[in-house]
Each structure stands twice: as structure tokens, then as C-alpha cells.
Amino acid sequence: MAANRARKTVRQSRALGIALTPKAERYMQNRPYRPGEHGRGRTKDSDYSIRLKEKQRLRAQYGIREAQMRKVWNEARRQEGLAGENLVELLEMRLDALVLRAGFARTIQQARQVVSHRHILVDGSIVNLPSFRVKPGQVIQVKPKSQTSPQFMVAAQGAHRDVLPRVPEYLDVELEKLKFTLVRRPKRHEVPVEADVQMIVEFYSR
């Protein structure tokens, strides 16, 4: 099951042109082209397919369904400011995304599992919804009973730093304590995801 999921993620990464896991990144270094028998061939994408692919790239980096993405988009366009930037900023405030950025997990899938399995406290209370929207000032930590498990002991030593981007400035992380605080709302240029937000705005505005 895990092997099939890993192969599917690698294939998705190659199709979207972006490594979604460390394994996919290693694989794409040897095969930097799309999957399938025509993967090496040149194709001319339509304007629609370019916008669709950009939306899919962003969605895949957060590992969310289309219904979840559209719900956040509808919220983003009602807020002040640029809708595309709002979209990324709101997605980044998901609990699973911040658990990943803090270094508690190696991939977004692992971060979601950590949350779903009730290992994470928000302001002292267990939250098991990966989509939970963290507010500035809230403190997130691995619950004490879970901190002695091998996966979190490894994380506390910074073992995931080799595959993760630098900790963004909107987080105050105490990795050895498996604890972090969302200092403020993220800004689009600080969020370590690859996405042309203008293309995504055009896709949803069509």
C-alpha cells in the first residue's frame, strides 16, 4: 500500500513538474520529464491546461481535494488584497502545513498523519483536523506523551532539515521542545511553495 502510494506520488510529481516528496525529487533528477511513453516529447499546452496545471501544482503541494481548494478560494477572494496571494496565505495557515514547515514531519502526508493521529496540541488542546486554521499567537506542540516516540525524537534533532526549506519568519520554532508559535499571518513571498498565483486566479475566474 505504502509503495503504491509512493509510486503514485512520484508519477504525479513528474506530471506536474514539481517534486512533492524527497523520494520524488531524487527520482526526477534521473528522469526530469513527464511519465508515459510520450513523456520526452514536446507538447504545446493550451492556455486552459497551463492554468489548470498551475492550480493542480498548488493543490498537490498542500495535498488537498478540489472541494477544499475551492472553499479556500471563495474565502480568499472575499478578503481585502490580492485573491491569489490570499489563497496561498490561507492555505499556509492550515495546521498540517505549519507542522511540516516547523520540521515535525518530512512530507505533507506525514504531517497530516501526525495531526490526524492526535499527536498535536493547539494552545494545550488536541486538534486532529489537518485543515484547522491556526491563528497568529497560537502555540502548537507535540503532546508530551508522544514526544518520546522515535519519529518525534528524530524530528527534535533536526533530522528533517535536509529536505525542508528554511523555517519561515512567520514561525517561532523551538524544535528541541517540539513546539512552535505562529507569530503572524504568512505573506505570499515567504511561503515556500511553487505556484503562479495569477494563473490560478485566471483559472477560477474563467
Side-chain angles (χ1 to χ4, degrees), residues 9 12-13 16 18-22 24-25 57 60-61 107-109:
T9 302
Q12 183 184 22
S13 297
L16 296 175
I18 180 172
L20 299 173
T21 64
E25 184 172 9
R57 281 161 58 95
Q61 288 172 85
T107 66
I108 192 64
Q109 293 85 358

Side-chain angles (χ1 to χ4, degrees), residues 83-102:
E85 294 188 0
N86 289 339
L87 173 64
V88 175
E89 292 167 9
L90 291 173
L91 289 172
E92 186 65 10
M93 294 167 74
R94 288 173 53 99
L95 181 56
D96 56 353
L98 295 179
V99 164
L100 175 65
R101 303 287 179 246

Side-chain angles (χ1 to χ4, degrees), residues 48-150:
Y48 172 79
S49 65
I50 291 172
R51 296 184 181 102
L52 172 63
K53 184 176 181 179
E54 207 60 41
K55 186 263 298 183
Q56 291 173 329
R57 281 161 58 95
L58 181 61
R59 220 186 82 194
Q61 288 172 85
Y62 285 101
I64 60 176
R65 301 185 303 275
E66 176 60 27
Q68 293 174 297
M69 180 86 153
R70 190 170 286 276
K71 181 179 179 181
V72 180
W73 161 252
N74 288 333
E75 182 181 355
R77 64 191 179 90
R78 291 193 300 265
Q79 294 187 352
E80 293 183 5
L82 300 175
E85 294 188 0
N86 289 339
L87 173 64
V88 175
E89 292 167 9
L90 291 173
L91 289 172
E92 186 65 10
M93 294 167 74
R94 288 173 53 99
L95 181 56
D96 56 353
L98 295 179
V99 164
L100 175 65
R101 303 287 179 246
F104 293 4
R106 198 171 181 84
T107 66
I108 192 64
Q109 293 85 358
Q110 190 180 74
R112 181 177 297 106
Q113 187 179 62
V114 163
V115 176
S116 298
H117 289 186
R118 301 173 64 86
H119 294 300
I120 300 297
L121 303 176
V122 178
D123 287 344
S125 299
I126 290 177
V127 175
N128 65 345
L129 294 175
S131 61
F132 176 84
R133 176 81 50 76
V134 180
K135 298 180 179 67
Q138 289 190 310
V139 178
I140 293 85
Q141 65 182 122
V142 175
K143 69 180 182 182
K145 191 174 180 180
S146 300
Q147 290 185 13
T148 56
S149 70

